[in-house]
Amino acid sequence: MQKEAKEFFNTRFHEQPVNGSALAGFRQQGLDMFNKLGIPAVKHEEWKYTRVNALFNNDLTYNLDASGISKAELDSFRLPQTANATSLVLVNGVYSPELSDIKHSVKDLLVLPLETAAAGEYGAIVKKHLGHSAAYHPDGIHALNTAFTHGGIFILGKSNRVITEPVYIYHITDSRSGFAFAQPRILAYAEQQCELQLVEYYGTIGNEGSFTNEVIEIVAEAASVLDYYKIQHEGPHANHVGTTHVRQLGKCLTNAVTISLSGGLIRNNLNMIMESERGESHMYGLYLLNGKTHVDNHTIVDNVQPNCFSNELYKGIMDEKSTGVFNGKIFVRQDAQKTNAYQSNKNILLGDASSVNTKPQLEIFADDVKCSHGCTIGRLDEEALFYLRTRGISEKNAQSLMLHAFAVDILENIKPQALKVFVDHIISERLDFNF
Amino acid sequence: MLKIKNLHAGIEGKKILNGINLEIKAGEVHAIMGPNGSGKSTLASVLAGRENFEVTGGSVELFDKDLLATSPEDRARAGMFLAFQYPVEIPGVSTTNFIKTAVNECRKYRGQEPLDAVAFLKMMKEKMKLVHIDQSLLSRSLNEGFSGGEKKRNEIFQMAMLEPKLAILDETDSGLDIDALRIVANGVNSYRNGENAFLVVTHYQRLLDYIVPDFVHVLYNGRIVKSGTKDLALELEEKGYDFIKNEVELTLNV
Ligand SMILES: Nc1ncnc2c1ncn2[C@@H]1O[C@H](COP(=O)(O)OP(=O)(O)O)[C@@H](O)[C@H]1O
Ligand SMILES: [Mg+2]
C-alpha cells in the first residue's frame, strides 16, 4: 500500500505544471519528506486512534485536479447573512478567484494567490512563515500537503485595521467525477494591531467521497486580535485532516473555535505557538457526533516565552457508533516561566456503541508555572434529569434541555452572531431542542 | 387523594421504608417529622418516582390510580409536586425556559392550551412576588450558584407556577433564616385553597408554627410510629426524638 501510494503521488507530483513557481523548492522539500515519512499507520503514536491510512486503501484513483462548479452550486453552501462578507472559495483545494468575492477594502485586507505572494512583495513573509508547522507534524500527511502546494491563498490583515466582518473561506470538494482529493494551503498574516476573523467552512458536492488534507498557517503580530472558526458539517463520506497552526509573534490575543457536526473521518490539529511574552489564547471545541463519524482533535499549546495565558475547553457528545478523540498537549519550555495553561475536555456518551479516547499531555520544563487539565467521560446527570422530570418535563425533553445546555456553552464563544445562530440551529435540530 | 398502603422500599438491598401507611385527603396538611436517616426523603423520592429506589411491597394511589407504575413526569402532570431538600443545579438550562417548558407540558396533559409569552410572563410576575424572587435570578441557569435560601424559594416558586394538587415539601425550611422561612411559609399558605393538599417534611417544629398542619406523623426506622395533631409536634420539640425512640423500643420489647 505504502509503495503504491508513494508511486502514485510521485507521478502526480511531476505532472503538476508548477515549474518556475516560487514555491517549487518548497514543494520538493514536501515530497522528499513524504517519501521519507510515508503515510502514518496505527502504530504511529500520533495516529493511534485515527486510521488515516485506511483512506489510502482504495484504488488510488484520486481526482487531484481543480474542478469547475457554478455560482449556483456554490450558493447552496453559503452561510446565512454573509451576502456582504468576503468569501474566498477553494474548489478541490484550489483557489478560485472567479468564485470568490472580496468585499473588504484593500486598506483592510489583501488576498493573493499564494504563488503570487511568494514571488512578489510579500515573498519574504511567505518564505519565513510558510511551512513552520512542519516541525510539529513529522508525518507524511502533512508533508503531502506541502508537496502539492498549489492554488493556495495568502491573506494579509493590514496593520491598525479593525476588520469587523469575518472572512469566510469555503472549501468545496467536488466528488461527482470520482473520489476527490483536496489539499488546500493557506497562509494568513495579521499585522500589528490588526483585528481579523477567519471562518473556514466545508462542503461536498457529489457522493463519491472526498478527502481534504489542509494546512492553514496563521501569524499574529503584536497587539493583533485573531479569531478563527472552523465549522465542519459535511456528509459521511467527507474525510478531513487539517492543521491550523497559529504563531503569536508579539503580545496578542488569538481565539479558535472548532465545531464538528458531521463528516466521515476527521482529524483536526490545532497549534498555538506562544512565541511572545504575555500572549493570550483561547481554544474551544465542540464535537456533536452520530452515525459512524470519527472526530479526532489534537491540540498543542507550545509556551516558548514566559507569562503566557492559555485556556482550552473541548466538549463532545457521541451518539450511535461515533467516536471521539481528544489529545491535548501543553509544552512549557525552559524559558516560559509563569505560564498559565488550562485545559479541560468533557464528553457525554449517548450511544452504547459510541466511544471516546481522551488524553492530556503536559511536558513542562520550567518550574514556576500553573497548568491544569481535566477530562470527564459520562452520561447525563441522572439526578438532574429526575429533577426536570418531576416538573412534568418528558424524559426526552429533559435530555434535550441538558444536552443543549452542555453544547451551547461552547457556542457562546462564536462572536459573529449569524454564525452562532446557524450552528445553534443545527445543534438544536439534532438534539430535538425546540423550546 | 393519596393513599399509601404498607409501602416498603429500599436501595441496593438496603431496606429504608418498612411499611408506611398514610392517607391524605383534599385540603389537608400533613406533617412528617422524624430524626435524620429515618427515611423522610426516601419517602418523598419514592412518591415522586425516583427510579434508583426499589419498591419492594405495598401500593400507592393518587386519585385512585396506581402511582408506582407512573413516570415521574406523569405524576407531576397529574398534580404532584416535590420541593427537593437539595434542589439540583443545572448549568446552561435557563430557569425561565425550564419553567415555561414544564408549565406547558403540564397544561398539555391537562388538556389546556399552552400559555403564550404574554400570559406566561404575567403569571411569572404574579408568582415571583409571592416568594420575593427577583427577575435576575430567573434569567440565570437553573439553581446554579443560588444561595440555599434562593434555591428553596425557587422550589416554592415552581410549585406556584405548576399549580399542583398535592405538594410534598422536603425540609423546605432547612437552612432558612427566620425571614426567609416566613416568606416561604407565606408562599405556601397563600397557595392553600381547601382543595390542594400538602405533605410537609420537616426535622424541626419551627416551620409548623407558620404552616399549621392538620396531622403530624413521626417517622422512625422507615415506619410511622406515632400520629397526632399539631400538639404532637410541640411535644417532640420539647422532649426530643429520644422520647419516641424509647417508646418504640419499649413496644417492640413487649
Ligand atoms: N441513595 C442512597 N443510597 C444508599 N442509602 C441511602 C440513599 N438515600 C438514602 N439512603 C439511606 O436511607 C436512610 C434514610 O435516608 P433519608 O430518606 O435521606 O432520611 P431522612 O430524609 O429522614 O433524613 C439513611 O440511612 C440513608 O443513609
Ligand atoms: Mg431528608
Side-chain angles (χ1 to χ4, degrees), chain B residues 41 85 170-171:
Chain B
S41 290
Q85 180 174 3
D170 189 1
E171 301 219 19

Side-chain angles (χ1 to χ4, degrees), chain A residues 247-377:
Chain A
R247 293 183 76 179
Q248 291 197 349
L249 291 192
K251 175 186 176 298
C252 64
L253 172 62
T254 53
N255 303 308
V257 183
T258 306
I259 311 275
S260 309
L261 301 168
S262 58
L265 178 139
I266 292 174
R267 163 68 169 259
N268 297 315
N269 297 317
L270 174 62
N271 309 334
M272 288 282 181
I273 317 301
M274 316 294 282
E275 293 179 64
S276 175
E277 275 197 57
R278 297 183 195 283
E280 179 177 340
S281 71
H282 298 262
M283 307 152 90
Y284 299 98
L286 173 69
Y287 36 107
L288 174 60
L289 313 179
N290 58 13
K292 289 183 183 168
T293 300
H294 171 91
V295 172
D296 174 351
N297 282 299
H298 263 62
T299 67
I300 296 174
V301 180
D302 186 3
N303 292 278
V304 181
Q305 290 293 327
N307 268 307
C308 287
F309 173 92
S310 65
N311 183 37
E312 181 172 9
L313 174 62
Y314 271 68
K315 286 179 145 187
I317 300 174
M318 268 76 38
D319 202 353
E320 297 174 355
K321 292 182 175 167
S322 61
T323 49
V325 179
F326 176 80
N327 184 289
K329 286 200 185 82
I330 298 174
F331 297 124
V332 182
R333 310 250 192 130
Q334 210 166 357
D335 291 336
Q337 297 295 357
K338 304 226 182 288
T339 288
N340 274 292
Y342 303 99
Q343 180 188 95
S344 167
N345 174 231
K346 297 181 176 172
N347 299 283
I348 293 179
L349 293 178
L350 291 179
D352 288 334
S354 62
S355 66
V356 64
N357 278 290
T358 171
K359 183 177 165 199
Q361 225 174 309
L362 270 50
E363 291 184 28
I364 300 175
F365 301 101
D367 42 38
D368 184 12
V369 301
K370 274 192 203 139
C371 286
S372 77
H373 63 84
C375 55
T376 58
I377 302 174

Side-chain angles (χ1 to χ4, degrees), chain A residues 387 389 391-392 394 397, chain B residues 50 73 77 82 105 155 158:
Chain A
Y387 184 78
R389 291 175 71 193
R391 272 49 179 152
S394 71
N397 283 344
Chain B
R50 183 83 208 249
E73 52 268 37
R77 294 161 180 173
L82 169 62
E105 284 202 44
E155 294 293 288
Q158 291 172 39

Side-chain angles (χ1 to χ4, degrees), chain A residues 98-236:
Chain A
E98 301 76 46
L99 290 170
S100 300
D101 189 1
I102 298 166
K103 293 273 173 51
H104 285 101
S105 143
V106 288
K107 281 191 216 136
D108 288 336
L109 187 81
L110 190 74
V111 178
L112 292 172
L114 189 55
E115 279 91 348
T116 309
E121 189 186 341
Y122 299 100
I125 289 182
V126 174
K127 199 170 165 53
K128 190 164 167 211
H129 298 290
L130 191 70
H132 189 267
S133 59
Y136 290 83
H137 301 284
D139 62 57
I141 296 288
H142 188 282
L144 195 58
N145 175 289
T146 300
F148 284 84
T149 301
H150 164 61
I153 313 180
F154 176 69
I155 301 168
L156 183 79
K158 295 288 187 68
S159 60
N160 297 302
R161 307 301 292 191
V162 176
I163 309 173
T164 49
E165 277 294 316
V167 176
Y168 292 89
I169 304 168
Y170 290 92
H171 295 270
I172 310 296
T173 315
D174 181 359
S175 72
R176 285 174 298 192
S177 58
F179 190 98
F181 194 82
Q183 304 213 70
R185 185 84 184 210
I186 299 170
L187 177 64
Y189 195 96
E191 290 185 340
Q192 293 202 3
Q193 295 195 41
C194 167
E195 292 190 16
L196 178 64
Q197 305 169 65
L198 302 174
V199 179
E200 289 200 280
Y201 186 68
Y202 305 81
T204 302
I205 303 180
N207 302 316
E208 287 295 321
S210 64
F211 180 16
T212 301
N213 179 29
E214 180 190 2
V215 176
I216 176 169
E217 291 166 314
I218 300 170
V219 182
E221 286 284 2
S224 63
V225 178
L226 184 115
D227 294 334
Y228 169 82
Y229 303 97
K230 182 173 188 176
I231 315 290
Q232 300 174 307
H233 184 221
E234 287 194 276

Side-chain angles (χ1 to χ4, degrees), chain B residues 95-116:
Chain B
T95 309
T96 309
N97 229 349
F98 149 74
I99 292 178
K100 193 168 177 192
T101 308
V103 166
N104 282 334
E105 284 202 44
C106 286
R107 290 179 67 88
K108 191 173 163 199
Y109 182 89
R110 297 167 192 170
Q112 297 164 306
E113 287 291 302
L115 287 181
D116 62 36

